[in-house]
Amino acid sequence: MAPPPERNLPTVSVTEEEVQRNSERLKIEDEIRSSHQRTFVSHEEAINIAKEINLCEDRVWDLLKKARGNSWVIALFLKQYGNIYGEMSLKLLESLNPKDLIDTGIETLADHLIHSVDLKGDFEEDTFVNYILCPRVYFEMLGAYREYFKGKFSLEEREGFKQNPKALVKWIKENIDLLQSATYYVGFASPKGSFDLRKADSFSRDILFVALARSFGIPARLEPTDKRPQYLRDSDWKDAFVSKPVEREENIPSGKIRLVRACNCNCRVKAEYFNNFSIGRFKNGIFQTLAYQDVGFEYFGKYFDLPEGYYRLVTGTRLSDGTVLVRVSLFEVKEGQNVDVDIIFREDQNNVENLGSISGLKGLTPLGKNSQGSISLNKNAIIAWIEPDREPSKHLIRELRELAEEMDKINPSVYICVGEDKLTPAFNADFYDGLPQGTIFAVDKAYTCFNSFVSAAKKELRINYPAVFVVDRNNNIRYASTGYKLGIGEEVLKLLQKLSKI
């Protein structure tokens, strides 16, 4: 896959007065943001809360840090229920998506905790936490509904559903009307809303099934590949077929596959579903991509179930110019069989481009805890200039964090540079954790170092941030990018991996 040719668009001239006015507005925005962030639960406060309720300090801080502006609500929930329900209150919070921590209230959290703990029974911990305790089914609005649902059915009815989940499927089929033409798009109605209306589209009804099942102590989920509703019975996931006639409840035969790195594949790229590989099942004349959400590669590295049929594995390697090297392979899954499928990423066979050379990193002064560190080019290095308070630069930092483990394997030098005019009161180099080992922040007074890179590069570079360069151990510039684009971190990692072999 090749992108269209790159065009150099005309630059927009900006006056010094406009630049100054924009900088002043950015400082005001930064002050407003920083003032709000200072109201979040601090690390010290999180540790004290953890000690107060006798729970793991690191886990409590991790949750409160993710909760951001909702951190005091989460803290109050832990204070009220941590001493009563112990670690289970943490497990409930950890089962949620990070976004849920930002906007979920105490009433909702308490409802799901209080009315789930007595359903633990003999279920394994992971099964209970992920498929009974967890309030999140898909992308529906979270709300309190467990106590409500229990109040709508007698104990005898709830026990009957638990003993025979097909009875719950039958109840939903008979009591919830399908309204497929009522909305233009598939909706994610709240379970309580669908129950009260007794009407839903097919997907909302599937969400309702999972919510009801979990409320009654039946492990339930939306199957990871195609989101069909399932319940756990005798250690096997059974299809509920809520949106289909009850009499057609036979399960699709399945086999197991495992993705393995091919022995002859030297590419060390990090495999991420939907980012650089996907699996599609051949159905109704086309390959339909399986919708795995928030699943790490470790899931695919173990045998996992797939319905019987023909499948397509697509991998892609994105190059710095936007070209994607695609590889397609086909495989078949048969009932009861285990299949190993090689996952291979094509490698760029072109030589690494030499964009020019520099004499060093003159003009950089270390910041923060590494202020006494030395700045030198004695090995392959990443040098990046950022605007700390701007989203494009924040995205780059996030990518470097996500790839830190892979980068540490090849151990490049990493310098994150900030122009003196970009330093704001809220900027603190010591707050940037999780980056590759040995990352050094530096201030570039008068952009002396940055200008030397722009002058040395044998390509036209627009002054835009973040600006990212890769320099080899011989001080040759091997990569240059200005302005954010998706996947800069991945491009830099692949290049460094290639340079490490030279």
Side-chain angles (χ1 to χ4, degrees), residues 120-154:
K120 174 67 170 67
D122 296 327
F123 293 116
E124 294 182 359
E125 190 80 358
D126 286 348
T127 298
F128 172 72
V129 171
N130 294 321
Y131 305 118
I132 293 180
L133 177 66
C134 180
R136 170 65 66 197
V137 179
Y138 196 51
F139 293 139
E140 76 285 1
M141 176 69 74
L142 281 190
Y145 56 72
R146 296 200 192 222
E147 182 180 21
Y148 179 80
F149 285 158
K150 286 184 177 180
K152 293 296 180 179
F153 296 89
S154 67

Side-chain angles (χ1 to χ4, degrees), residues 270-337:
K270 182 179 180 181
E272 293 181 299
Y273 199 79
F274 278 144
N275 183 20
N276 53 17
F277 82 96
S278 65
I279 300 171
R281 182 169 183 256
F282 191 72
K283 186 177 180 181
N284 299 328
I286 61 171
F287 283 98
Q288 299 181 7
T289 302
L290 306 182
Y292 289 101
Q293 297 284 345
D294 301 318
V295 176
F297 186 73
E298 62 275 5
Y299 175 87
F300 302 97
K302 302 175 183 177
Y303 285 110
F304 61 98
D305 292 324
L306 280 181
E308 195 174 56
Y310 291 95
Y311 290 84
R312 178 188 66 190
L313 171 65
V314 180
T315 62
T317 303
R318 184 184 295 274
L319 306 184
S320 59
D321 64 356
T323 300
V324 180
L325 305 179
V326 179
R327 185 179 187 276
V328 178
S329 58
L330 304 176
F331 61 93
E332 183 180 4
V333 174
K334 295 183 178 180
E335 182 180 6
Q337 293 186 1

Side-chain angles (χ1 to χ4, degrees), residues 42-287:
S42 68
H43 180 261
E44 182 180 354
E45 289 168 329
I47 298 303
N48 290 335
I49 291 169
K51 290 179 179 178
E52 181 182 334
I53 56 179
N54 197 29
L55 290 175
C56 175
E57 296 175 4
D58 289 342
R59 291 169 68 187
V60 169
W61 168 233
D62 183 59
L63 290 166
L64 294 176
K65 180 170 58 174
K66 291 176 180 175
R68 297 182 61 76
N70 199 44
S71 55
W72 283 110
V73 173
I74 301 299
L76 185 57
F77 167 76
L78 287 172
K79 284 183 176 182
Q80 289 184 3
Y81 298 98
N83 284 323
I84 302 172
Y85 297 99
E87 190 182 21
M88 201 57 67
S89 58
L90 279 183
K91 289 183 179 295
L92 171 72
L93 295 171
E94 290 169 342
S95 74
L96 299 171
N97 296 332
K99 187 200 79 66
D100 294 329
L101 296 171
I102 296 174
D103 56 16
T104 304
I106 291 180
E107 179 186 353
T108 297
L109 296 171
D111 173 79
H112 290 281
L113 178 64
I114 294 169
H115 299 285
S116 294
V117 290
D118 60 339
L119 302 173
K120 174 67 170 67
D122 296 327
F123 293 116
E124 294 182 359
E125 190 80 358
D126 286 348
T127 298
F128 172 72
V129 171
N130 294 321
Y131 305 118
I132 293 180
L133 177 66
C134 180
R136 170 65 66 197
V137 179
Y138 196 51
F139 293 139
E140 76 285 1
M141 176 69 74
L142 281 190
Y145 56 72
R146 296 200 192 222
E147 182 180 21
Y148 179 80
F149 285 158
K150 286 184 177 180
K152 293 296 180 179
F153 296 89
S154 67
L155 177 61
E156 184 180 356
E157 287 175 312
R158 300 199 305 269
E159 286 299 320
F161 292 148
K162 190 173 181 179
Q163 295 302 318
N164 180 21
K166 289 184 178 181
L168 179 58
V169 175
K170 184 175 185 293
W171 185 94
I172 291 180
K173 190 68 181 177
E174 292 175 349
N175 290 275
I176 305 297
D177 294 332
L178 272 182
L179 297 177
Q180 295 292 69
S181 60
T183 57
Y184 289 107
Y185 305 101
V186 174
F188 310 124
S190 69
K192 186 174 180 294
S194 297
F195 185 91
D196 286 342
L197 290 173
R198 294 293 200 269
K199 301 179 189 299
D201 61 27
S202 59
F203 204 86
S204 297
R205 195 162 80 162
D206 292 346
I207 291 173
L208 173 60
F209 166 76
V210 175
L212 282 170
R214 291 181 182 180
S215 298
F216 303 151
I218 306 167
R221 69 177 187 178
L222 297 181
E223 201 276 334
T225 60
D226 59 13
K227 307 307 175 191
R228 63 187 186 275
Q230 295 183 316
Y231 57 87
L232 190 65
R233 192 72 170 171
D234 299 326
S235 301
D236 287 324
W237 287 105
K238 308 292 185 181
D239 293 336
F241 286 115
V242 170
S243 300
K244 301 180 182 180
V246 175
E247 59 268 22
R248 292 179 57 195
E249 288 183 356
E250 66 275 11
N251 292 285
I252 302 172
S254 65
K256 294 180 182 291
I257 77 159
R258 177 179 63 177
L259 300 185
V260 296
R261 294 279 190 171
C263 296
N264 60 346
C265 179
N266 294 320
C267 183
R268 292 182 286 179
V269 65
K270 182 179 180 181
E272 293 181 299
Y273 199 79
F274 278 144
N275 183 20
N276 53 17
F277 82 96
S278 65
I279 300 171
R281 182 169 183 256
F282 191 72
K283 186 177 180 181
N284 299 328
I286 61 171
F287 283 98

Side-chain angles (χ1 to χ4, degrees), residues 81 158 386 397 435 464:
Y81 298 98
R158 300 199 305 269
I386 66 169
I397 294 296
L435 290 168
N464 205 355

Side-chain angles (χ1 to χ4, degrees), residues 320 355 453 457 459 461 467-470 477-482 485 495:
S320 59
L355 299 176
F453 272 78
K459 62 183 292 188
L461 295 173
V468 182
F469 298 86
V470 173
I477 301 174
R478 298 295 193 161
Y479 177 92
S481 172
T482 58
K485 61 178 179 179
L495 178 57

